[in-house]
Amino acid sequence: MITNYNSLTVGKYEALLRARADHEGDTNELNLHVLSILSDMTVDQLLDLKVSEFRAMMDRAGFLCTAPRPSEVARQYRFGDLTLMPVTDIRKMTAIQGMNIQTYAGNFEQNLVPLLACVLVPKGRKYGEGYDIHEVQRVIRQNLPITDALGLLNGFAVDTLTTSTAIMQREIRNMNRMNNK
């Protein structure tokens, strides 16, 4: 089970945002879907747990009640055979990179992965040339921790991500209050 932001991938973070939107106002359903995402268990498997086990898992999910801290930007990010190089200095970006960042940042929650793919380019490649952007997005979604995403996007869209996280934290706190009654 994921118990900290350093282990929470961008894809899992996106799933948490979707769960929050899909189950707004239904604390029990939101609890189940949050735990399902964090534990890779099905909702049915969670429903079969003893109450004490379920509460223990909710307690471990309590890290969502605090804001994630952005990691320092690494010189490179290795995921299997793919090495991604961060381009966070706007002076080193191509015009299309800058335009895409501006476009994606406008609807941040829906475009987190494409936005990250604008600032993470395969080593030895120019943005958008000579590689499969969808493969880069898949790798980012499945492997990049949200803390690294925050560090990479610091200055681009981190305010929007922080706001989304704050909303999710409020919902998780509400869930925990309801469970402890």
Side-chain angles (χ1 to χ4, degrees), residues 21-42:
D22 292 347
H23 304 290
E24 190 173 349
D26 189 340
T27 303
N28 288 330
E29 282 296 313
L30 183 56
N31 284 345
L32 286 167
H33 284 85
V34 165
L35 288 184
S36 177
I37 293 162
L38 296 177
S39 69
D40 289 326
M41 294 174 71
T42 67

Side-chain angles (χ1 to χ4, degrees), residues 50-70:
K50 294 191 182 326
V51 171
S52 59
E53 293 173 287
F54 186 84
R55 284 195 177 189
M57 289 179 76
M58 283 300 299
D59 288 344
R60 290 195 302 269
F63 75 95
L64 294 171
C65 294
T66 61
R69 292 178 177 242

Side-chain angles (χ1 to χ4, degrees), residues 15-180:
L16 289 172
L17 291 176
R18 280 191 305 277
R20 182 194 75 210
D22 292 347
H23 304 290
E24 190 173 349
D26 189 340
T27 303
N28 288 330
E29 282 296 313
L30 183 56
N31 284 345
L32 286 167
H33 284 85
V34 165
L35 288 184
S36 177
I37 293 162
L38 296 177
S39 69
D40 289 326
M41 294 174 71
T42 67
V43 168
D44 287 339
Q45 288 171 320
L46 291 167
L47 289 171
D48 285 339
L49 292 174
K50 294 191 182 326
V51 171
S52 59
E53 293 173 287
F54 186 84
R55 284 195 177 189
M57 289 179 76
M58 283 300 299
D59 288 344
R60 290 195 302 269
F63 75 95
L64 294 171
C65 294
T66 61
R69 292 178 177 242
S71 297
E72 292 292 320
V73 175
R75 293 182 60 184
Q76 62 184 18
Y77 296 85
R78 279 193 73 92
F79 303 111
D81 293 336
L82 184 61
T83 301
L84 299 173
M85 306 301 291
V87 182
T88 56
D89 184 345
I90 199 157
R91 296 170 297 178
K92 295 180 181 177
M93 290 183 181
T94 64
I96 190 65
Q97 240 174 325
M99 286 186 252
N100 284 347
I101 287 170
Q102 190 174 19
T103 299
Y104 294 138
N107 190 358
F108 181 78
E109 282 189 12
Q110 299 298 315
N111 296 310
L112 180 56
V113 171
L115 183 58
L116 287 162
C118 287
V119 297
L120 288 172
V121 177
K123 187 175 185 174
R125 301 291 182 185
K126 185 177 173 184
Y127 176 72
E129 293 182 9
Y131 65 94
D132 182 351
I133 190 76
H134 299 292
E135 176 62 14
V136 169
Q137 290 176 356
R138 184 192 65 75
V139 167
I140 289 169
R141 184 173 281 112
Q142 291 179 353
N143 298 287
L144 187 71
I146 194 64
T147 50
D148 287 342
L150 277 170
L152 286 161
L153 297 178
N154 201 1
F156 294 116
V158 76
D159 292 337
T160 306
L161 181 57
T162 301
T163 301
S164 297
T165 301
I167 292 167
M168 186 167 33
Q169 290 166 1
R170 185 184 70 230
E171 296 298 323
I172 298 297
R173 278 194 294 275
N174 289 339
M175 288 185 331
N176 286 336
R177 281 191 206 114
M178 295 296 290
N179 277 334
N180 291 329

